[in-house]
């Protein structure tokens, strides 16, 4: 790594010479704008709006536009006259508990390396921060801008976290904050169960940038002249969500299955009635079957043959009457 800044950490009456290094880097696939037909690189020129003439970098100044459209031009000399007492000094203002600082204030991280003749006071400050559980609130100027920052310890190195000023954090003024949202106890309990089932230790190594990997594979395929094949792996779907409780219960069950826990999620009030209804529904068909069996066992009445026998007697009486005559 190459240092981007050199200065002094002012720790009371102790001065610690340090070098500043960028602690993080964003890894992304970078592209250039090119012409589609032949890949020729697209270049941009700095031109003046008034006459279209190209302007050299050394002739460029900073301009502040007024509400009426006029522009105030500021040169390097104007900035040089501004007071920056922390231009080469990390001035420790106070020590505060780390959990009192909202992470929204943090902007960027830097490593501080001690100069060769400042290792001892550096280690003294580092150990004092570690043992106290505190972070140091400091002021520092980087690239002609004064910033608020904190000093903390990570892997035996003092890390400086630059911060936003309080007036740079926007207020979350959203309409839903004024709404009276009612949550049932069952919903709260299921949400807490979901959080508990998904809880674990933070291990950043287990998370990967899948999009960047896929994009790199596309580029490699282009280089090698291979055909790029879309992945055929089925993507998981959440399914149809009936209500909030159903979504929470399904989420808890999915989280437990992912951890190898096959125990079912206990039912709550309002959800236990469904099994009882199913049991009642099962009893109804049993009654119908019993009634069918009873009907099948009882022999049917034979009325039709009796009528036929009566019909046969009628002709016999007529024949007897004829003989008498």
């Amino acid at each position: 790594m190459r240092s981007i800044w050199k200065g002094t950490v002012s720790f009371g009456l102790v001065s610690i010479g340090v070098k500043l290094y960028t602690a993080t880097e964003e890894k992304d696939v970078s592209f250039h704008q090119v012409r589609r037909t032949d890949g020729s690189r697209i270049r941009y020129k700095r031109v003046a709006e008034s006459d279209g003439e190209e302007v050299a970098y050394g002739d460029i100044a900073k301009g502040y536009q007024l509400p009426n459209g006029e522009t105030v031009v500021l040169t390097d000399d104007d900035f040089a006259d501004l007071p920056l007492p922390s231009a080469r000094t990390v001035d420790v203002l106070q020590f505060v508990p780390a959990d009192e600082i909202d992470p929204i204030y943090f902007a960027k991280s830097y490593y501080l390396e001690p100069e060769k003749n400042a290792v001892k006071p550096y280690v003294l400050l580092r150990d004092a921060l570690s043992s106290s559980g505190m972070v140091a609130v400091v002021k520092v100027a980087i690239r002609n801008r004064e910033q608020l920052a904190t000093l903390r310890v990570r892997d035996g190195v003092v890390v400086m976290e630059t911060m936003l000023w309080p007036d740079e954090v926007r207020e979350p003024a959203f309409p839903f904050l004024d709404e009276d949202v009612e949550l049932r106890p069952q919903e709260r309990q299921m949400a807490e169960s979901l959080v508990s089932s998904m809880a674990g230790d933070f291990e950043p190594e287990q998370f990967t940038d899948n999009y960047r990997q896929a994009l790199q594979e596309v580029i490699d395929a282009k280089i090698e002249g291979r055909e790029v094949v879309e992945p055929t792996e089925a993507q998981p779907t959440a399914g149809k969500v009936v209500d909030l409780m159903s979504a929470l219960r399904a989420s808890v069950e999915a989280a437990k299955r992912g951890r190898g826990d096959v125990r079912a999620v206990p039912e709550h009030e309002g959800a236990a009635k469904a099994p009882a209804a199913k049991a009642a529904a099962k009893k109804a068909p049993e009654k119908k079957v019993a009634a069918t069996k009873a009907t099948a066992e009882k022999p049917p009445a034979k009325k039709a043959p009796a009528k036929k026998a009566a019909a046969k007697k009628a002709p016999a009486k007529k024949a007897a009457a004829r003989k008498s005559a």
Side-chain angles (χ1 to χ4, degrees):
M1 293 188 292
R2 185 175 61 181
S3 64
I4 62 172
W5 182 91
K6 289 184 179 181
T8 303
V9 176
S10 178
F11 175 38
L13 298 178
V14 179
S15 296
I16 309 170
V18 294
K19 297 178 182 178
L20 191 70
Y21 299 83
T22 303
T24 61
E25 58 179 341
E26 292 188 6
K27 291 188 176 181
D28 199 359
V29 180
S30 59
F31 296 96
H32 297 298
Q33 289 188 325
V34 298
R35 186 163 54 192
R36 185 187 298 273
T37 55
D38 60 358
S40 179
R41 181 82 176 270
I42 305 297
R43 300 288 184 179
Y44 291 91
K45 294 181 178 180
R46 299 180 179 88
V47 297
E49 189 179 64
S50 59
D51 53 19
E53 292 187 3
E54 186 174 356
V55 181
Y57 187 79
D59 295 334
I60 296 176
K62 289 181 172 62
Y64 180 82
Q65 190 170 17
L66 301 176
N68 60 4
E70 296 180 343
T71 301
V72 177
V73 179
L74 300 175
T75 65
D76 292 341
D77 293 337
D78 296 321
F79 288 101
D81 294 336
L82 293 176
L84 270 181
S86 56
R88 289 293 173 184
T89 303
V90 179
D91 190 15
V92 177
L93 305 177
Q94 66 177 138
F95 295 92
V96 300
D99 57 4
E100 286 189 2
I101 302 178
D102 191 327
I104 198 172
Y105 286 104
F106 294 128
K108 196 168 183 179
S109 303
Y110 298 90
Y111 288 134
L112 292 181
E113 180 195 24
E115 297 280 7
K116 291 183 178 180
N117 60 348
V119 173
K120 186 174 181 178
Y122 178 95
V123 172
L124 181 65
L125 173 61
R126 180 198 67 186
D127 292 352
L129 290 172
S130 298
S131 61
S132 65
M134 300 278 193
V135 296
V137 179
V138 303
K139 268 189 178 182
V140 61
I142 302 175
R143 298 187 181 93
N144 292 330
R145 185 191 177 195
E146 189 172 54
Q147 292 181 275
L148 197 64
T150 61
L151 301 182
R152 64 182 181 88
V153 180
R154 181 181 186 273
D155 295 337
V157 178
V158 176
V159 177
M160 184 173 73
E161 303 268 6
T162 57
M163 301 171 62
L164 302 173
W165 296 101
D167 59 355
E168 293 178 317
V169 178
R170 294 176 175 176
E171 180 183 357
F174 299 109
F176 81 92
L177 294 174
D178 298 326
E179 297 178 5
D180 186 14
V181 180
E182 294 185 3
L183 295 176
R184 294 184 298 166
Q186 298 95 327
E187 293 170 339
R188 294 182 184 276
Q189 185 177 357
M190 190 60 69
E192 292 173 2
S193 179
L194 175 58
V195 171
S196 177
S197 63
M198 298 180 65
D201 296 328
F202 178 60
E203 299 176 0
E205 296 79 11
Q206 67 179 333
F207 304 105
T208 57
D209 187 348
N210 296 329
Y211 177 82
R212 177 160 56 95
Q213 292 179 355
L215 180 57
Q216 190 61 55
E217 290 176 2
V218 171
I219 295 173
D220 294 341
K222 287 278 188 179
I223 295 173
E224 298 177 10
R226 294 184 287 107
E227 181 181 358
V228 180
V229 181
E230 293 292 334
T232 56
E233 183 180 355
Q235 299 296 321
T237 58
K240 184 178 180 180
V241 178
V242 180
D243 54 24
L244 182 57
M245 280 295 295
S246 299
L248 290 170
R249 186 176 294 107
S251 300
V252 173
E253 291 176 347
K256 288 189 175 183
R257 284 196 299 270
R259 290 173 173 256
D261 187 351
V262 296
R263 291 175 296 177
V265 180
E267 296 288 346
H268 294 278
E269 258 182 54
K273 295 181 180 179
K278 290 182 180 178
K282 287 182 180 178
K283 291 181 181 179
E286 290 178 1
K287 291 181 179 179
K288 290 183 179 179
V289 172
T292 304
K293 288 183 179 179
T295 306
E297 291 174 357
K298 183 178 180 181
K302 296 182 179 180
K303 294 181 180 180
K307 289 181 180 179
K308 288 182 179 179
K312 287 181 180 179
K313 290 180 179 179
K317 289 181 179 179
K318 288 180 180 180
R322 288 175 186 176
K323 286 182 180 181
S324 300

